[in-house]
Amino acid sequence: MEGNRLQRVTIAQVADRAGVSTATVSRALSGTRPVSEEVRRRVLAAARELGYSGNSIASALRRNRTDTVGMVVPSIGNPFFTSLVESVEHVLQAEGRQLFLCDSRQDPEVERQHLRSMIARQVDGIIISPCHGSESASAVQAAADAIPLVQLDRHVADTSTDWVGVDDHEAMRLVLEHLHATGARSAAFVSSAMTNSSTELRLAGFRRQTERLGIRTRPDWILLGEYSMAWGRSATAELLDGAELPDAIVCADDLIAIGALRTCRARGVAVPDDMQITGYDDIDFADLVDPALTTVNQPRDRIAAEAVRLLATAETWGGTSAHTALAPSLVTRQSTASPERSARYLTGAEHQESSSRS
Amino acid sequence: MEGNRLQRVTIAQVADRAGVSTATVSRALSGTRPVSEEVRRRVLAAARELGYSGNSIASALRRNRTDTVGMVVPSIGNPFFTSLVESVEHVLQAEGRQLFLCDSRQDPEVERQHLRSMIARQVDGIIISPCHGSESASAVQAAADAIPLVQLDRHVADTSTDWVGVDDHEAMRLVLEHLHATGARSAAFVSSAMTNSSTELRLAGFRRQTERLGIRTRPDWILLGEYSMAWGRSATAELLDGAELPDAIVCADDLIAIGALRTCRARGVAVPDDMQITGYDDIDFADLVDPALTTVNQPRDRIAAEAVRLLATAETWGGTSAHTALAPSLVTRQSTASPERSARYLTGAEHQESSSRS
DNA sequence: TCGCTGCGTGTAATCGTTTGCCGAGCAGTT
DNA sequence: AACTGCTCGGCAAACGATTACACGCAGCGA
């Protein structure tokens, strides 16, 4: 076994071997300018023989672009973000670009460092789902001043960057109208205390729709903790210990809802007969728990594609920003009752609620 | 809103502002060589005022290192790999290094491209869980020839790179001894058909241990498909439709096992009374399904730490390789019966089975 | 006073590509 | 023959940081 690492082969060596200049090698390989067929063949052969693989660091320095976009998510452990990442990576790969992924661990300080590091690394753009509604703001704005940036799903207040996500109000309308149709007349809401746009909009949507539909709720039925199963379990335990039981528990994400399901099962509360439960995100597991979870589906591929597209336009347009809210759809499963009417799947048609260049 | 992107600030501008040379700025900021207190203050002030954030591309080109390690996993959607990624990122972050993550989507060709791209990108090292036992080999070997590389969990044949993972034979011994103790006398094995080291070693371990313990099995009880719940479901359906039922189903990963659980529930087969089921990996959901899954825990943090450590030594030692097998442990939950003896948690002590420098 | 050491700083080369500019060669036009 | 236009290829200057080397200056012992 050789003790020494192979010496990296440079464009100059390829040029030597092919008997041309480095400029010609560069052009032959990248195709930025035409090269005679004869020379191209010699260059390709030399490159292959030497195992030349280029140095994208040097290339990036010269071209001032890395063909890489950075992505920051609050928690890669959350299946919703995991699949969002998969979608984004898929879209990028189709364009021959790479994804640089970071996990902020729900910590604005970690998030700030990741953003700085991405700027220093000269990524071509940043896709971020900020972990906090206010504490993330300054770092996000600073990053947006330096390079194209689009916020995904969540967004921070007071910034003028692109954003793409779903219409949370619409989602809550779908959920509560469905519950209303199944006969629910009172509902609790379990969410995260972390202030961020998703959390706030979902809560606001819940309040507005319960009021509109005449579904009763109470201050002690609004439970705010974190996006996790553990919180779903303890919040539900708290509800079940309360004086009065709601007809339904609306959860701000699937993890919470799955926790709620488990506590109900453990306490012998039948779902959906004694208690209806809804989630949000439609993660893979939502269909695999028992009973399967009624939840809000976010069009993840569409969101990812839109984010990448916005990034591209921001590269050229810079400065103006667009907010794109896509329509969510409701996926009804066994954790809620069937409405009297036969329709089992109330799937809202996709629509573009607002899209504006300012 | 300004239409123009802020011009990136360079070290030269900081130098101008602080009234020193670029060399001094570099030294003041990196601390590679002492600088007078007075000058350091001026430089730091200038850098802060201008919002200087460095250009790690240029730095990387000159220093020939990026402080970034690349990681390639077969599927980021698989919770086991997700949490492995989290662990690795955690370890790296403690050292101020970054993780460049890629998903090979179980495709050796995609994997090859990602590896090439990482080499071109000059990552300092690569951590990979190869997606295929033989088809990944050439790309992995080629990458290992260029830069330090350590294989994680799975590994390909015929390469001389570092590897760290768990001892699959030991894991199967724990599983089958436990099943034997609970009274199981026959067992099926459901795994992936993808040839890779984990798959093969787990199957070999299953065969050896069933034979040793006198647990009966049959050729048509060895079902090979893929690491997914869907496969777990259909394989189990196939088993249940068979002429004879085994006492237990040993699954090569938790996703398969969860699929198996669901099919049993759907078919009215009681777990663990009529059928015992075990998984492998101890993903978060293993504890959350019903009944909770008995499974093999891999010490993920330990694996991650070891991988990063090996990478560091490979940077200096280059050429010699080490194989490190950590001890797995069995987590017994409700999907298997209690053995007569009272011990509920048979947790193997961690040991280092083999560690050799060649 | 003369070296000598050591510290702090500046100058300029360097990392490996890409690309603006130029010139050689060739064909077609006047 | 002179000129124009076009294509292909080379020269050398970037890109923005790091760092080998050199230099000036102070302190210090001889």
Side-chain angles (χ1 to χ4, degrees):
Chain A
M1 190 61 18
E2 283 299 321
N4 353 29
R5 199 62 67 188
L6 264 55
Q7 185 57 40
R8 185 177 294 282
V9 19
T10 74
I11 206 174
Q13 298 172 37
V14 177
D16 267 6
R17 175 147 210 170
V20 294
S21 73
T22 61
T24 302
V25 173
S26 172
R27 299 198 263 248
L29 294 177
S30 67
T32 47
R33 266 182 42 182
V35 157
S36 72
E37 190 48 40
E38 153 69 4
V39 167
R40 143 167 291 120
R41 274 208 347 274
R42 286 216 312 274
V43 168
L44 291 181
R48 190 161 8 86
E49 286 159 22
L50 294 173
Y52 176 70
S53 66
N55 180 331
S56 47
I57 294 291
S59 170
L61 177 61
R62 178 62 228 246
R63 295 192 308 144
N64 205 31
R65 65 188 311 248
T66 50
D67 291 323
T68 297
V69 333
M71 182 166 183
V72 187
V73 296
S75 162
I76 199 193
N78 184 323
F80 171 66
F81 290 114
T82 306
S83 68
L84 214 43
V85 168
E86 283 184 305
S87 295
V88 170
E89 213 215 7
H90 204 188
V91 172
L92 287 177
Q93 196 172 345
E95 310 180 1
R97 304 164 63 170
Q98 298 272 328
L99 184 66
F100 189 83
L101 179 68
C102 289
D103 183 340
S104 65
R105 312 171 159 271
Q106 314 271 10
D107 181 340
E109 189 46 43
V110 173
E111 188 177 62
R112 174 186 310 272
Q113 285 176 15
H114 281 317
L115 285 173
R116 281 189 75 84
S117 151
M118 284 181 170
I119 304 283
R121 235 180 189 78
Q122 314 262 91
V123 295
D124 295 341
I126 292 178
I127 295 176
I128 182 175
S129 201
C131 65
H132 196 281
S134 53
E135 291 176 33
S136 293
S138 64
V140 168
Q141 184 65 61
D145 287 342
I147 57 174
L149 179 149
V150 26
Q151 300 187 70
L152 214 59
D153 186 54
R154 308 179 183 177
H155 61 275
V156 300
D158 306 326
T159 53
S160 51
T161 75
D162 287 346
W163 171 82
V164 45
V166 301
D167 183 337
D168 283 306
H169 267 294
E170 170 71 2
M172 280 301 147
R173 188 179 68 75
L174 293 173
V175 167
L176 287 161
E177 284 186 352
H178 169 68
L179 289 173
H180 188 263
T182 63
R185 290 298 174 264
S186 63
F189 185 71
V190 183
S191 180
S192 159
M194 199 61 143
T195 71
N196 66 49
S197 63
S198 294
T199 310
E200 284 163 12
L201 289 173
R202 288 172 198 178
L203 176 55
F206 175 81
R207 288 212 159 103
R208 187 204 283 188
Q209 298 299 330
T210 46
E211 184 169 356
R212 185 173 74 82
L213 295 165
I215 293 177
R216 202 160 43 78
T217 185
R218 306 170 22 158
D220 59 338
W221 281 356
I222 309 287
L223 296 164
L224 305 180
E226 56 176 37
Y227 289 119
S228 75
M229 283 186 241
W231 166 241
R233 291 160 87 156
S234 61
T236 304
E238 203 173 310
L239 277 175
L240 297 183
D241 288 339
E244 185 192 4
L245 281 193
D247 292 341
I249 303 178
V250 174
C251 302
D253 95 337
D254 286 346
L255 294 178
I256 293 174
I258 292 172
L261 284 178
R262 286 186 56 77
T263 294
C264 285
R265 169 185 292 267
R267 297 291 198 91
V269 175
V271 176
D273 298 338
D274 298 342
M275 174 71 77
Q276 300 200 57
I277 293 180
T278 66
Y280 199 117
D281 286 346
D282 195 20
I283 63 177
D284 289 343
F285 267 100
D287 191 27
L288 298 165
V289 289
D290 184 48
L293 192 62
T294 290
T295 189
V296 174
N297 177 276
Q298 304 204 38
R300 295 182 281 240
D301 288 340
R302 180 76 197 286
I303 290 177
E306 196 66 17
V308 173
R309 196 187 60 76
L310 282 176
L311 223 43
T313 70
E315 275 166 29
T316 56
W317 285 63
T320 67
S321 72
H323 286 205
T324 307
L326 301 172
S329 56
L330 188 69
V331 182
T332 58
R333 299 202 183 93
Q334 287 78 54
S335 70
T336 55
S338 285
E340 280 67 34
R341 44 202 172 101
S342 62
R344 269 192 78 80
Y345 284 77
L346 302 174
T347 306
E350 185 173 285
H351 72 170
Q352 190 109 356
E353 164 141 294
S354 75
S355 180
S356 56
R357 290 245 154 224
S358 59
Chain B
M1 188 63 20
E2 283 299 321
N4 353 29
R5 198 63 66 188
L6 264 53
Q7 184 57 41
R8 185 177 294 281
V9 20
T10 74
I11 206 174
Q13 299 171 38
V14 177
D16 267 7
R17 174 147 213 173
V20 295
S21 74
T22 61
T24 302
V25 173
S26 173
R27 299 199 263 248
L29 294 178
S30 67
T32 47
R33 272 181 43 182
V35 157
S36 73
E37 189 49 40
E38 153 70 4
V39 167
R40 144 167 291 119
R41 273 209 347 274
R42 286 217 312 275
V43 168
L44 291 181
R48 190 163 5 88
E49 286 159 23
L50 294 174
Y52 175 71
S53 65
N55 181 332
S56 47
I57 295 291
S59 171
L61 178 60
R62 178 63 228 246
R63 293 191 309 143
N64 205 32
R65 66 187 311 244
T66 50
D67 290 324
T68 297
V69 333
M71 182 165 182
V72 187
V73 296
S75 162
I76 201 194
N78 184 323
F80 171 66
F81 289 114
T82 307
S83 68
L84 214 43
V85 168
E86 284 183 305
S87 295
V88 170
E89 212 214 7
H90 205 189
V91 173
L92 287 177
Q93 196 173 344
E95 312 179 0
R97 312 213 282 170
Q98 299 272 330
L99 184 66
F100 189 85
L101 179 67
C102 289
D103 183 340
S104 65
R105 312 171 158 272
Q106 314 269 12
D107 180 341
E109 190 46 42
V110 174
E111 187 177 63
R112 175 185 310 272
Q113 284 176 15
H114 281 317
L115 285 173
R116 281 190 75 85
S117 151
M118 284 180 170
I119 304 284
R121 245 187 179 74
Q122 313 261 94
V123 296
D124 295 342
I126 291 179
I127 294 176
I128 183 176
S129 201
C131 64
H132 195 282
S134 53
E135 291 176 33
S136 294
S138 65
V140 167
Q141 184 65 60
D145 287 341
I147 58 175
L149 178 149
V150 25
Q151 299 187 70
L152 215 60
D153 186 54
R154 309 180 182 176
H155 62 275
V156 300
D158 307 324
T159 54
S160 51
T161 74
D162 287 346
W163 171 82
V164 45
V166 301
D167 183 337
D168 283 306
H169 267 294
E170 170 71 4
M172 280 300 145
R173 188 179 67 76
L174 293 173
V175 167
L176 287 161
E177 285 186 353
H178 168 68
L179 288 173
H180 189 262
T182 63
R185 290 298 173 267
S186 63
F189 185 71
V190 183
S191 180
S192 159
M194 199 62 143
T195 72
N196 65 50
S197 62
S198 294
T199 309
E200 285 164 11
L201 289 174
R202 287 171 198 178
L203 176 55
F206 175 80
R207 289 210 158 106
R208 186 204 286 189
Q209 298 299 329
T210 46
E211 184 169 357
R212 186 173 72 84
L213 296 164
I215 294 177
R216 203 160 43 78
T217 185
R218 306 172 21 161
D220 59 337
W221 282 357
I222 308 287
L223 297 163
L224 305 180
E226 55 175 39
Y227 289 120
S228 74
M229 282 186 244
W231 166 241
R233 291 160 87 155
S234 60
T236 304
E238 203 171 310
L239 277 176
L240 297 183
D241 288 339
E244 184 192 4
L245 282 193
D247 293 341
I249 303 177
V250 174
C251 302
D253 95 336
D254 286 347
L255 294 178
I256 292 175
I258 292 172
L261 283 177
R262 287 186 55 77
T263 294
C264 285
R265 169 185 291 268
R267 298 290 198 90
V269 175
V271 176
D273 297 338
D274 298 341
M275 175 71 76
Q276 302 199 58
I277 293 180
T278 65
Y280 200 117
D281 286 346
D282 195 20
I283 63 177
D284 290 345
F285 267 101
D287 191 28
L288 298 165
V289 289
D290 185 47
L293 191 64
T294 290
T295 188
V296 174
N297 176 276
Q298 304 203 39
R300 296 182 280 239
D301 288 340
R302 181 75 198 286
I303 290 176
E306 197 65 16
V308 173
R309 197 187 61 75
L310 282 175
L311 222 44
T313 70
E315 275 165 30
T316 57
W317 284 63
T320 67
S321 73
H323 286 207
T324 307
L326 301 172
S329 57
L330 189 70
V331 183
T332 58
R333 299 203 182 91
Q334 288 76 53
S335 71
T336 55
S338 285
E340 281 65 34
R341 46 200 171 101
S342 61
R344 268 193 79 78
Y345 283 79
L346 303 173
T347 306
E350 184 173 283
H351 74 170
Q352 190 108 356
E353 162 140 295
S354 75
S355 180
S356 56
R357 290 244 154 225
S358 58

